[in-house]
Amino acid sequence: VFFENCYFTAVMSTAKKNIGIILDLPGNRHCADCGEIVDEDTGWASLNLGVVMCIQCAGTHRAMGTHISKIRSFRLDTNAWTDALTDTFKHIGGNACANAAAWEANLPSF
């Protein structure tokens, strides 16, 4: 039981640190889709898109299917927030950079 508690504590500590790093990236304190304020308790993220979002927009992304957007909660999915995943979010550069990329909203109208 002692080792299980130590493992859980280590996972929680790593997750909390990594979530803080992700939230400190440019634009990540606001939902990538609607702009609502998010934090470590209310934030969700798309793991494959590398963006942070609110619970309402996370529901929309989840409904699209995991082949489009893999959604995880900062608060509930503590095992997801590994150092490798944090590096991916850092590489993308935050919601501000992701939203400036070639997403559907930035395509010209025809």
Side-chain angles (χ1 to χ4, degrees), residues 25-90:
L25 294 171
N28 280 6
R29 296 277 176 180
H30 295 272
C31 176
D33 289 349
C34 73
E36 183 176 325
I37 294 175
V38 296
D39 61 24
E40 59 275 353
D41 291 326
T42 62
W44 291 70
S46 172
L47 304 187
N48 57 319
L49 298 178
V51 295
V52 175
M53 61 193 66
C54 69
I55 191 169
Q56 288 84 9
C57 293
T60 301
H61 277 253
R62 186 164 273 174
M64 288 190 253
T66 57
H67 63 291
I68 304 291
S69 190
K70 295 179 182 180
I71 300 299
R72 296 293 182 272
S73 165
F74 285 150
R75 190 170 189 198
L76 302 174
D77 300 310
T78 54
N79 288 337
W81 307 108
T82 63
D83 293 337
L85 183 61
T86 302
D87 289 341
T88 300
F89 273 78
K90 289 193 296 190

